[in-house]
Amino acid sequence: MSAAPDGRIAIVGGGVIGCAIAAELAPDHDVVLFEADRIAGGATGRSAGLVTIEPAFSDALPVADRAMAAFDRLDEEERVEFHEVPSLEPVPEDEAAIARRRLDRLQDAGVSVEWLDPEAVEAGYPLSLGGHAGAFRFERAGWIDPHALADAYRRTADDAGATLDVGTAVRDIVVEDGTVVAVATDDGTERCDAVVVAAGWATPQLVAPLVDLPVRPYRTQCVTIEGPSVLADCPMAWAPDHDCYFRPDVDGLLVGGMPSFVDAPAAASRTEDAAFRRHAAAVLEELLAVDGPLRLADGWAGVDLATPDGRPIVDAPADAPAGLAVATGFHGRGIMTAPVVGAIVRDRLGDCVTELPTDPFRADRFGSVPADFAVPGIDEG
């Protein structure tokens, strides 16, 4: 299906992904974006804003290059502040040999990563790596405020003439003769020539009659910690052996982790658990080398979708009706991949051919997977 310039494209979902797609398509198309609640009111507003896209796409570095260039440009234009901070990944002692081989592969692929011994980590950061062989340090990394990024894309879409229909829920996608022709809302039917569904955890339910997606909803949690000013010197860090990550925040640290699958995403608690607060405290006590008290400032939880390989699906699936595309399963990587999804959607709708590799985003890359597929690092709940 070719998304002709005079055709109308409906985008379902006003998170950072839906807004980014609208910003990409609006200059050349009649775009209407439907958001049932408020802009960035779902998973976007409850994300940590991490940008660690090089290790996530080490085999498709043009994706990372495009995203990082976009964040730098947004920062230079003073539209969004991109906080450049290296990302550390501590390596347990019993995984040192495997980690060294991975380091060689990453460096051979062109990823900006180096190995730090525990002494080098502790000399450069207020961290303690007892029990670890060392850490990877990824240089091209940082964090960005999720609300600010979504709003920047919203404003870009609005300035380009997109219609932003906030407060209207899309209930159904209307198909005639194998082609999308409209979306049904509580206010009636809106004709369109293509629909892009980027509705977070609600995406699989909305498209279920039309296409089966290999995604599972999971809940993750965050807290913010205040304490001594030295916390500002911390890098970002992901410690898979601790089921936790953290990054600097305005007044301390943001700590996230303990993901678990949920069967009913709409009913999942959006408040962090006491068990997670205790877990975050224990991780910080072990990894931080900081004198002075730490205080819990805030906490929350959110729901995202996982895929079997941890990468999103941005595609117009072959078994879907013509004119239907999905952007889903971001697995906590929505913020960092937002700058590339619009171009990939255009490619998949047949509107253009992007220079970006699209195979990592295809829906058919998995083959057949069970509905209850497992993902390393996500508990069964």
Side-chain angles (χ1 to χ4, degrees), residues 238-285:
W238 176 53
D241 56 321
H242 290 76
D243 197 17
C244 214
Y245 62 83
F246 58 82
R247 68 156 172 83
D249 198 33
V250 177
D251 298 310
L253 290 178
L254 183 151
V255 186
M258 281 185 69
S260 58
F261 287 118
V262 293
D263 294 326
S269 173
R270 269 42 173 190
T271 302
E272 84 286 0
D273 302 334
F276 177 70
R277 293 194 295 270
R278 292 192 296 269
H279 177 68
V283 170
L284 294 182
E285 182 178 359

Side-chain angles (χ1 to χ4, degrees), residues 14-18 39-49 145-147 149-150 303 334-335:
V16 69
I17 297 301
I39 299 297
T44 294
R46 295 178 175 272
S47 67
D145 181 87
H147 288 94
L149 183 62
V303 175
I335 298 299

Side-chain angles (χ1 to χ4, degrees), residues 218-233:
Y218 73 97
R219 176 176 175 265
T220 189
Q221 306 178 65
C222 291
V223 293
T224 54
I225 304 293
E226 295 178 350
S229 59
V230 71
L231 291 179
D233 298 327

